């Protein structure tokens, strides 16, 4: 279960830092997750210290770390430093969507809508030039569409593309209509203000899901690994009756989570040696089925998750030679 109190977030941050000491090769994603939990616990100075520790070395994703640091700094009064970091991130022209979107949403959160829009427009021109766009870039275009609607700007080519990529029943123009706020709730100003506060809270949760690469992950055991797992620990056969059923359950579970509104879903590939090492670190036996979701969460926190769903034309997550649309992404899977 996800932490939901400051104390629980602090405890989770401490656990992630201990895990990072055990897996130094995964130090960066684990420290980023720990910093995110410290922010949610309200300990923003400790989060900044973690970002600085990462930046003092040779991080794999320095611009992502800088963008997260800027967002955190602005929240506890260091606006000038945050602005300077965001300007530096923009000048560096990241080749991935996450630093751009975090920087833009930080500006938006502090009513800098024009600056947020120009940041996302720079990013779109740099990243959204191919036919198949990764999920993060699609998200960036959707965020840009929303901010432009708030600024009452007309559609441009990037907005049209965001519309085409959007597959939900409610069109983006309706979803992002600023007047929609005023159609919700009653005519009582106090009740309407409460409705606006609730919506802003939901938006904040959505931002957190985008900004923190911490997917809700489902385990995928490749067939040889699953055979080895069940040979060693037959007690787990109730969880995995057959390999085919295992694959079907993965897709069904992820679709159910998606339909329930869970953001940032992913799949982590499991191996028996890694699972046994994790069980040993938790002082329990690998045959304990309750350990499986904890193992999935830890792999995701270590940056091992692959985002779900893949594009329909991309290779299926199951490892078959077929595209996702022809395999587990087919309509008959729903």
């Amino acid at each position: 279960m996800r932490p939901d109190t400051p104390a629980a977030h602090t405890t989770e941050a401490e656990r992630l830092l201990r895990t990072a000491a055990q897996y130094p090769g995964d130090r960066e994603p684990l420290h980023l997750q720990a910093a995110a939990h410290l922010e949610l616990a309200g300990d923003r100075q400790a989060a900044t210290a973690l970002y600085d520790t990462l930046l003092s070395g040779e991080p794999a994703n320095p611009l992502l770390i800088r963008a997260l640091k800027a967002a955190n700094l602005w929240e506890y009064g260091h606006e000038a430093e945050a602005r300077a970091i965001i300007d530096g991130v923009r000048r560096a022209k990241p080749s991935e969507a996450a630093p751009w979107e975090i920087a833009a949403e930080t500006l938006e959160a502090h009513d800098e809508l024009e600056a947020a829009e120009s940041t996302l427009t720079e990013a779109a021109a740099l990243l959204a030039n191919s036919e198949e766009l990764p999920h993060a870039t699609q998200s960036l275009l959707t965020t840009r569409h929303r901010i432009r609607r708030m600024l009452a700007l007309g559609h441009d080519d990037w907005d049209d593309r965001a519309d085409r990529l959007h597959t939900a029943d409610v069109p983006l123009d309706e979803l992002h209509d600023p007047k929609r706020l005023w159609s919700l709730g009653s005519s009582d100003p106090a009740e309407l203000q409460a409705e606006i506060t609730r919506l802003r809270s939901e938006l904040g949760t959505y931002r957190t899901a985008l900004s923190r690469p911490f997917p809700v992950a489902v385990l995928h055991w490749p067939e040889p690994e699953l055979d080895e797992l069940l040979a060693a620990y037959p007690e787990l056969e109730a969880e995995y009756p057959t390999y085919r059923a295992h694959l079907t359950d993965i897709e069904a579970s992820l679709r159910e989570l998606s339909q329930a509104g869970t953001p940032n879903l992913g799949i982590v590939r499991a191996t028996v040696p890694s699972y046994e090492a994790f069980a040993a670190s938790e002082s329990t036996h690998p045959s304990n089925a309750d350990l499986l979701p904890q193992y999935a969460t830890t792999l995701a926190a270590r940056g091992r998750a692959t985002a779900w769903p893949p594009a329909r034309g991309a290779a299926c997550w199951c490892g078959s030679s077929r595209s996702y649309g022809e395999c587990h992404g087919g309509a008959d899977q729903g």
Side-chain angles (χ1 to χ4, degrees), residues 148-177:
R148 286 173 61 82
R149 288 285 281 140
M150 293 171 68
L151 290 168
L153 297 174
H155 266 210
D156 62 8
D157 290 345
W158 300 123
D159 292 323
D160 291 340
R161 187 161 193 193
D163 283 334
R164 291 195 300 272
L165 291 168
H166 182 68
T167 58
D169 292 337
V170 180
L172 276 186
D173 276 341
E174 181 180 344
L175 193 65
H176 293 164
D177 184 357

Side-chain angles (χ1 to χ4, degrees), residues 93-105:
K93 299 188 181 304
S95 59
E96 296 182 350
W100 289 103
E101 188 154 16
I102 293 165
E105 290 187 332

Side-chain angles (χ1 to χ4, degrees), residues 77-248:
H78 296 268
E79 177 183 340
E81 187 178 354
R83 286 182 182 276
I85 293 172
I86 289 172
D87 288 343
V89 169
R90 292 178 66 176
R91 286 194 301 271
K93 299 188 181 304
S95 59
E96 296 182 350
W100 289 103
E101 188 154 16
I102 293 165
E105 290 187 332
T106 301
L107 292 164
E108 180 198 1
H110 297 278
D111 298 322
E112 301 279 348
L113 294 181
E114 291 84 359
E117 193 275 337
S118 65
T119 298
L120 293 170
T121 298
E122 289 177 32
L126 184 67
L127 303 178
N129 293 312
S130 60
E131 285 297 318
E132 286 282 344
L133 297 182
H135 178 74
T137 305
Q138 294 182 34
S139 172
L140 184 148
L141 291 180
T142 301
T143 300
R144 180 180 179 275
H145 183 288
R146 175 173 53 75
I147 290 174
R148 286 173 61 82
R149 288 285 281 140
M150 293 171 68
L151 290 168
L153 297 174
H155 266 210
D156 62 8
D157 290 345
W158 300 123
D159 292 323
D160 291 340
R161 187 161 193 193
D163 283 334
R164 291 195 300 272
L165 291 168
H166 182 68
T167 58
D169 292 337
V170 180
L172 276 186
D173 276 341
E174 181 180 344
L175 193 65
H176 293 164
D177 184 357
K179 295 179 182 178
R180 186 168 177 259
L181 289 175
W182 300 98
S183 68
L184 299 172
S186 73
S187 59
D188 183 336
E191 291 180 2
L192 185 56
Q193 185 58 51
E195 185 73 20
I196 292 171
T197 300
R198 181 186 66 78
L199 291 170
R200 284 178 173 164
S201 175
E202 291 177 357
L203 179 59
T205 300
Y206 177 61
R207 285 180 180 145
T208 299
L210 284 174
S211 302
R212 309 295 187 250
F214 189 65
V216 176
V218 175
L219 282 176
H220 170 214
W221 295 90
E223 190 166 14
E225 295 291 339
L226 185 61
D227 289 344
E228 182 180 345
L229 178 78
L230 297 180
Y233 310 107
E235 300 90 340
L236 296 176
E237 287 181 359
E239 301 291 325
Y240 308 113
T242 67
Y243 181 64
R244 184 182 180 85
H246 172 48
L247 297 184
T248 300

Side-chain angles (χ1 to χ4, degrees), residues 6-29:
H9 282 293
T10 299
T11 299
E12 180 65 10
E14 292 169 350
R15 186 189 72 80
L16 288 163
L17 292 173
R18 290 195 301 271
T19 304
Q22 293 177 323
Y23 301 95
D26 298 316
R27 175 174 173 268
E28 184 172 325

Side-chain angles (χ1 to χ4, degrees), residues 26-45:
D26 298 316
R27 175 174 173 268
E28 184 172 325
L30 288 166
H31 276 217
L32 285 178
Q33 294 308 317
H37 282 290
L38 289 170
E39 288 186 37
L40 293 168
D43 195 350
R44 294 190 173 275
Q45 291 184 343

Side-chain angles (χ1 to χ4, degrees), residues 58-70:
E58 296 183 355
N61 299 291
L63 296 177
L64 171 64
I65 298 169
R66 290 184 185 280
L68 290 168
K69 178 183 174 182

